[in-house]
Amino acid sequence: MRDLIEIQQKLLPDLVEVLRKRYMLLQSIYHLQPIGRRALSQVTMTTERILRGEVELLKEMGLLLFTTAGMSVSEEGQRVLERMEPMVAELFGLTDLAAQLQTHLRIPEVIVVQGDADRNEWVKQELGRVGARVLKQRIQEGDVVAVTGGSSIASLADHLTPSPAFRTVQFVPARGGLGEKVELQANTLASVMAAKTGGSYHLLHVPDRLSTDALQALLEEPGVREVIDLLRTSRIVVHGIGDALVMAQRRKYSPQELDELRAVGAVSEAFGYYFNDSGEIVHRMPTIGLQLEDVQNAEVVLSIAGGASKAKAIHSFAKQQAYHNVLITDEGAARALLAQIDPKGASV
Amino acid sequence: MRDLIEIQQKLLPDLVEVLRKRYMLLQSIYHLQPIGRRALSQVTMTTERILRGEVELLKEMGLLLFTTAGMSVSEEGQRVLERMEPMVAELFGLTDLAAQLQTHLRIPEVIVVQGDADRNEWVKQELGRVGARVLKQRIQEGDVVAVTGGSSIASLADHLTPSPAFRTVQFVPARGGLGEKVELQANTLASVMAAKTGGSYHLLHVPDRLSTDALQALLEEPGVREVIDLLRTSRIVVHGIGDALVMAQRRKYSPQELDELRAVGAVSEAFGYYFNDSGEIVHRMPTIGLQLEDVQNAEVVLSIAGGASKAKAIHSFAKQQAYHNVLITDEGAARALLAQIDPKGASV
DNA sequence: TTAGTTAGGGACGCATTATGTCCCGCACGT
DNA sequence: ACGTGCGGGACATAATGCGTCCCTAACTAA
């Protein structure tokens, strides 16, 4: 069954969403029958007119009865409700997960894709594809987009397509080089995004780890200064969320430094900030790039992270930065996250 | 999976139609790739612009590739096509049957509902529901609607709902009494339809079987004459199609008469006319009511008949009267009919 | 019996979207 | 070198969606 839905959704992206709405509408009518349009439109949080279209369709299909007392569910409609019941959890699982995350993390928008990035490589692709779609939706003329590195963001970059709206967009790396694979670095990704979309990009030619002295010196450099200033005006921030210790190791932290991180309870990492369970900053890399206050000034923060192993990191980061945030994650991370928030209610 | 498909058809009939179109579009592209918009729009019988919207969506979903040579189906798209194949029959089976009947019988519109009226009683209900919907769509102010008897038409009458458009509609029985159950007679159904819709009705107070003398005498009666004249102006005719011998028995034909019917190869019956395999009139009851020429003058002829046993009758009647016809039948009859038209191609 | 409430259905106008149509630069094959 | 057919862009108009209000019928409570 999963197969059918999955395939259909490729051709009809909002199929499940519409199905869910119709099902819930039918269910609402069933529980409140007989009920009128006006009352029902308040319950279902829709306008009268739009609800009308829906109920007329359901009536056409013989699932509803219209009487002077109001609408009620026909026998056929009841049969549909009964037969759908066992499928509901599976069908709407992801939507449901997203809604739960939205509530618990207080994030305006959450999208959950199927699978677990830890288990299937293609889930990263899916995250990227969805992320690219969201970015394309949110982009505006003349936007400055700050991007970090990482495989999720790389996948997003890969799925971007040219569009006239992107012509005036500038992609700016949020960080310097991370000293690892070049195809996952912020600098590279900014240029890839620009190439894919037809936008322009800037580079931040600084190493990620710096001594305080070198940092000060570099900040004086005009070429660096310019990019930093631009970075601060970012309307959109696109970033991944990393596991604190994993990121620290990639950044070649010494064993002592790692111990310190562990000691302060660092869990997640994003743009060089390390957060603990509660979302508090417990460590900050002395480096050049996007600062947390700049992120908070951004109008759109696109966070991408998948895989059950990222659950803790996502949770702690979400506590820090929930406002104006769009979280794109996967089923694995979502379930793990909910299980850790509410261990008893984590079934489905 | 079967379950889900049925539910989808009940809850998302509009979306299933869109799904079908998208699937067929993807398939067309696959077979013609690489192909441009203009060429494709001719093949698919759509305008360039509307096709463009569709292919852009398919591109967004990663199912199409756009090159300077034209559009082609991506690997993902091929996977979708392959995985959908087994579901196609179930998803679009009925639509497909309807399309085949339309072609083979040369009838402008065919609707096929699920099931077989011979095996499940509720299929008749479904036929009636759909019939009522079609009638409501086609009705116009001041229409005269000729109706025959029978269980299918009774079911249609049952599913009619009031509507202001029906206020000025007159329902007229196409035949006199059939001497059987009153709830299935044309007179009764005309009055039921009027009651259900808010229209008016007339009655034809004559027995169905008459001697030629009595027939002439009755035709002189003003009350009868009036109704007959009205009947002749019918813009819409709603009728069932019966099996010739079954109808003859109901009409209490003598064994000799039945033998005669068999001898001339009578297969189907409608408004007192008996048709053979080729749709030729082989017998005609000397009676008062709607004549075949009146039917041919009607703008809308709504034929309802379901059940595999009616296949022959439908086929032969369709040969007689295809123009301006809307046929509403069921899966059982449709498959049986196609098997008899084209025995080898009747799989699915 | 009557007043009040709420039902479904109809109507209308605005606004946004969809859609038909044309044009352009470009890449390919001839 | 040229012509054909491609995808992409632009734009005016048609059309549909949608919010909103009104109407009559029916039921309920006094």
Side-chain angles (χ1 to χ4, degrees):
Chain A
M1 188 180 86
R2 192 85 229 166
D3 240 42
L4 175 63
I5 290 289
E6 212 175 303
I7 292 292
Q8 286 188 6
Q9 238 175 330
K10 291 275 180 195
L11 288 172
L12 212 59
D14 47 4
L15 178 126
V16 178
E17 187 55 28
V18 176
L19 189 61
R20 195 181 119 263
K21 281 206 177 120
R22 299 239 169 104
Y23 173 76
M24 295 192 69
L25 177 61
L26 196 62
Q27 203 175 41
S28 298
I29 296 175
Y30 180 69
H31 285 128
L32 299 169
Q33 62 184 315
I35 186 173
R37 280 202 316 265
R38 290 154 178 260
L40 190 58
S41 70
Q42 288 186 331
V43 172
T44 57
M45 297 284 291
T46 51
T47 64
E48 187 192 328
R49 194 63 181 74
I50 204 163
L51 181 134
R52 198 160 159 179
E54 293 296 310
V55 296
E56 263 168 14
L57 187 136
L58 294 180
K59 174 188 165 199
E60 281 289 298
M61 296 312 293
L63 308 183
L64 288 184
L65 298 173
F66 283 64
T67 67
T68 58
M71 301 170 275
S72 53
V73 177
S74 71
E75 283 185 33
E76 179 77 26
Q78 288 182 39
R79 223 170 300 137
V80 168
L81 279 176
E82 282 167 24
R83 289 175 61 188
M84 270 206 77
E85 206 166 356
M87 310 178 192
V88 170
E90 199 180 345
L91 271 178
F92 309 140
L94 299 184
T95 322
D96 215 25
L97 281 177
Q100 284 184 54
L101 285 183
Q102 254 173 5
T103 310
H104 284 115
L105 302 180
R106 299 167 199 277
I107 291 178
E109 185 170 350
V110 176
I111 299 178
V112 179
V113 306
Q114 206 189 4
D116 187 331
D118 289 346
R119 305 161 75 118
N120 300 99
E121 186 53 34
W122 53 265
V123 176
K124 274 253 163 65
Q125 296 299 312
E126 191 70 8
L127 284 169
R129 210 177 53 71
V130 173
R133 204 180 62 203
V134 172
L135 179 59
K136 199 171 181 181
Q137 276 171 10
R138 303 298 190 105
I139 205 77
Q140 287 175 15
E141 292 267 350
D143 270 345
V144 175
V145 180
V147 300
T148 68
S151 56
S152 302
I153 307 301
S155 168
L156 186 154
D158 227 355
H159 286 88
L160 283 169
T161 52
S163 157
F166 277 119
R167 274 281 155 74
T168 53
V169 170
Q170 304 178 68
F171 293 95
V172 189
R175 319 288 309 167
L178 221 70
E180 54 162 340
K181 296 178 194 158
V182 72
E183 68 265 18
L184 297 183
Q185 287 184 23
N187 273 329
T188 315
L189 296 184
S191 73
V192 170
M193 288 185 185
K196 288 264 183 183
T197 57
S200 56
Y201 68 99
H202 300 262
L203 293 180
L204 200 52
H205 292 294
V206 295
D208 206 29
R209 295 208 69 188
L210 286 170
S211 68
T212 338
D213 288 347
L215 196 150
Q216 283 304 328
L218 266 173
L219 271 177
E220 304 297 322
E221 288 290 320
V224 172
R225 190 73 246 168
E226 259 178 43
V227 177
I228 298 287
D229 286 339
L230 189 61
L231 207 47
R232 296 223 151 143
T233 67
S234 303
R235 199 183 72 86
I236 301 187
V237 176
V238 179
H239 73 99
I241 300 174
D243 183 85
L245 296 177
V246 173
M247 290 306 289
Q249 278 164 347
R250 280 201 204 159
R251 277 171 178 147
K252 314 234 166 68
Y253 274 44
S254 68
Q256 291 95 321
E257 288 172 313
L258 286 176
D259 282 341
E260 281 176 33
L261 266 186
R262 262 191 285 268
V264 293
V267 171
S268 66
E269 184 276 345
F271 352 90
Y273 290 77
Y274 290 81
F275 306 92
N276 68 6
D277 260 336
S278 315
E280 293 156 350
I281 303 167
V282 291
H283 177 68
R284 177 178 175 177
M285 285 186 57
T287 182
I288 287 171
L290 198 71
Q291 304 302 310
L292 202 56
E293 73 232 35
D294 303 322
V295 177
Q296 281 156 349
N297 285 333
E299 289 179 32
V300 179
V301 179
L302 202 59
S303 312
I304 306 186
S309 62
K310 291 274 183 75
K312 269 192 184 171
I314 296 171
H315 190 193
S316 100
F317 176 76
K319 284 192 178 163
Q320 166 62 39
Q321 171 71 29
Y323 187 57
H324 277 162
N325 202 339
V326 181
L327 172 63
I328 299 172
T329 186
D330 64 14
E331 207 178 339
R335 290 195 195 285
L337 219 161
L338 286 171
Q340 120 190 18
I341 292 174
D342 184 7
K344 51 196 175 299
S347 54
V348 179
Chain B
M1 191 180 84
R2 174 102 213 162
D3 247 38
L4 179 60
I5 288 180
E6 276 179 36
I7 297 261
Q8 280 188 13
Q9 277 162 351
K10 284 282 177 194
L11 229 41
L12 316 164
D14 46 350
L15 295 193
V16 171
E17 184 56 24
V18 174
L19 188 67
R20 197 183 112 264
K21 287 206 175 120
R22 300 239 168 101
Y23 173 76
M24 296 193 68
L25 176 62
L26 194 63
Q27 205 174 38
S28 297
I29 297 174
Y30 180 68
H31 286 127
L32 300 169
Q33 62 185 317
I35 187 173
R37 281 202 316 263
R38 301 165 82 106
L40 190 59
S41 70
Q42 288 186 330
V43 172
T44 56
M45 297 283 292
T46 50
T47 63
E48 186 192 329
R49 193 60 181 77
I50 203 165
L51 181 135
R52 195 160 161 180
E54 293 296 311
V55 296
E56 264 168 13
L57 187 136
L58 292 180
K59 175 188 163 198
E60 282 287 304
M61 299 308 294
L63 308 184
L64 288 184
L65 297 174
F66 283 65
T67 68
T68 58
M71 302 170 273
S72 52
V73 177
S74 70
E75 284 185 32
E76 178 80 22
Q78 289 182 38
R79 222 170 300 135
V80 168
L81 278 176
E82 282 166 24
R83 292 178 64 187
M84 269 205 79
E85 206 166 2
M87 311 172 188
V88 169
E90 290 194 64
L91 261 177
F92 314 132
L94 299 184
T95 321
D96 199 52
L97 280 177
Q100 285 185 50
L101 286 183
Q102 254 173 7
T103 309
H104 284 115
L105 302 180
R106 301 167 196 276
I107 291 178
E109 187 171 353
V110 176
I111 300 178
V112 179
V113 306
Q114 204 172 35
D116 185 331
D118 289 344
R119 305 161 77 119
N120 300 99
E121 188 52 35
W122 55 264
V123 176
K124 274 251 164 66
Q125 297 298 312
E126 189 69 9
L127 283 169
R129 205 176 58 70
V130 173
R133 200 181 67 202
V134 172
L135 180 58
K136 198 171 180 180
Q137 277 172 6
R138 303 298 190 105
I139 205 74
Q140 287 176 13
E141 291 269 329
D143 272 348
V144 175
V145 181
V147 299
T148 69
S151 57
S152 301
I153 307 301
S155 169
L156 186 155
D158 223 31
H159 286 87
L160 283 169
T161 51
S163 159
F166 278 118
R167 274 283 155 74
T168 53
V169 170
Q170 303 178 67
F171 293 95
V172 189
R175 318 289 307 168
L178 220 71
E180 55 161 338
K181 296 178 195 158
V182 71
E183 67 266 17
L184 298 184
Q185 289 184 22
N187 273 328
T188 316
L189 296 185
S191 73
V192 169
M193 288 185 184
K196 288 264 184 183
T197 57
S200 56
Y201 67 99
H202 300 264
L203 293 180
L204 198 54
H205 292 295
V206 296
D208 204 34
R209 295 206 68 190
L210 285 170
S211 67
T212 338
D213 290 345
L215 196 148
Q216 284 303 329
L218 267 174
L219 272 177
E220 305 296 326
E221 288 288 322
V224 172
R225 190 74 246 167
E226 260 174 45
V227 177
I228 298 288
D229 288 340
L230 189 62
L231 205 49
R232 296 223 151 145
T233 67
S234 303
R235 200 183 71 86
I236 301 187
V237 176
V238 179
H239 73 99
I241 299 173
D243 182 86
L245 296 176
V246 172
M247 289 307 290
Q249 280 165 346
R250 279 201 204 158
R251 278 169 177 152
K252 314 237 167 68
Y253 273 41
S254 68
Q256 291 95 321
E257 289 173 312
L258 286 176
D259 281 342
E260 282 172 30
L261 267 185
R262 263 190 285 266
V264 294
V267 171
S268 65
E269 185 274 350
F271 0 92
Y273 290 78
Y274 290 82
F275 306 92
N276 68 6
D277 260 336
S278 313
E280 293 157 355
I281 302 167
V282 291
H283 177 68
R284 177 178 174 176
M285 284 186 60
T287 183
I288 288 171
L290 197 71
Q291 303 302 310
L292 202 55
E293 69 225 49
D294 303 325
V295 176
Q296 280 157 350
N297 287 331
E299 290 179 31
V300 180
V301 179
L302 201 60
S303 311
I304 306 185
S309 63
K310 291 272 182 77
K312 270 192 182 173
I314 295 171
H315 190 194
S316 101
F317 177 78
K319 284 193 177 164
Q320 165 64 41
Q321 169 72 32
Y323 187 55
H324 277 162
N325 202 340
V326 181
L327 172 64
I328 299 172
T329 186
D330 63 15
E331 207 180 336
R335 290 194 195 285
L337 219 159
L338 286 172
Q340 120 189 20
I341 293 174
D342 180 12
K344 50 195 176 302
S347 55
V348 178

